[in-house]
Amino acid sequence: MYDFLEGEVAQRSAARLVLDVAGVGYELSIPLGSSFPSAGRARAWTHLVVREDAHMLFGFSEREARELFRLLISVSGVGPVMGLTILSGLAREALLAAIAEGDVETLTRIKGVGPKTAGQIVLDLKDKAQKLRKAGTLPGEPGLLQPAARGDALLEDAVAALLSIGYTEKEARKSVERAAGKGARKDLESLLRAALSG
């Protein structure tokens, strides 16, 4: 229904973007680490999911990221929320490498991805991932274009981001504290990736 939306960034957090398009605010769920700015004009490549109880709009800073998301949700057992979590848990090049090489162990480090689902992703997408890697059409996405938070604010931002993708408060805090304890406090993106692969 929507290919992309372009407008002014009204709100931006680690996993959520609100775009003001001609006076209408579109709320989009986005992968952690997306390169959307925190202010100014932006374009989001979109995917709409319609359910009986909700319409969910997902946004991606590059068309290739959206296509990888669509590949993921074509796999049996992978819904849009899990697809977004997978894109948030691994950088795209690392994700393509894991799928192409049949690295189930790396995929299962992402919260919610069990061995069966990881195996199905590899089975369904291995050939496509190999072609995408050879073609070089999925460059790594830059990190967040937000000022790096420090100290407790960084941990709270990470907890909020995990809550937004379905973690409980207890799970989010435990994952973030474990990642921070391992020294992953450089910036929000590295802390989140460490928490997700926990």
Side-chain angles (χ1 to χ4, degrees):
M1 184 176 178
Y2 305 109
D3 188 38
F4 66 85
L5 294 170
E6 187 168 331
E8 295 295 318
V9 175
Q11 293 178 34
R12 168 76 161 90
S13 67
R16 180 175 171 270
L17 176 73
V18 178
L19 271 186
D20 181 338
V21 181
V24 178
Y26 291 89
E27 181 181 26
L28 300 101
S29 295
I30 60 176
L32 303 177
S34 295
S35 61
F36 291 109
S38 54
R41 197 154 186 84
R43 172 179 286 188
W45 300 94
T46 59
H47 181 86
L48 178 66
V49 174
V50 178
R51 292 182 173 165
E52 286 183 18
D53 58 343
H55 288 199
M56 296 182 295
L57 198 55
F58 296 86
F60 306 89
S61 53
E62 296 172 358
R63 190 195 318 237
E64 292 85 358
R66 181 187 62 185
E67 299 317 310
L68 182 51
F69 172 78
R70 287 177 170 170
L71 284 176
L72 286 168
I73 64 174
S74 72
V75 175
S76 176
V78 179
V81 173
M82 183 182 286
L84 204 65
T85 301
I86 292 169
L87 287 179
S88 298
L90 282 174
R92 280 181 285 157
E93 286 302 322
L95 176 58
L96 285 173
I99 296 170
E101 294 163 14
D103 187 354
V104 170
E105 185 181 340
T106 293
L107 294 173
T108 56
R109 289 190 199 131
I110 302 168
K111 178 180 167 46
V113 180
K116 183 178 178 183
T117 301
Q120 192 66 50
I121 290 170
V122 169
L123 182 67
D124 289 1
L125 303 182
K126 186 171 186 174
D127 291 343
K128 291 176 183 175
Q130 287 171 343
K131 286 176 186 174
L132 288 170
R133 287 181 80 197
K134 286 177 186 172
T137 55
L138 290 174
E141 189 171 70
L144 293 171
L145 297 181
Q146 296 178 319
R150 288 289 175 264
D152 291 342
L154 178 65
L155 300 186
E156 289 306 313
D157 286 349
V159 168
L162 293 180
L163 288 172
S164 72
I165 60 170
Y167 277 62
T168 65
E169 177 89 18
K170 185 178 178 182
E171 288 173 333
R173 291 202 177 279
K174 186 176 178 182
S175 296
V176 168
E177 285 166 11
R178 184 170 54 241
K182 292 179 180 175
R185 298 176 67 118
K186 187 174 107 178
D187 55 33
L188 182 59
E189 184 178 4
S190 60
L191 180 58
L192 286 169
R193 291 208 188 278
L196 282 163
S197 63

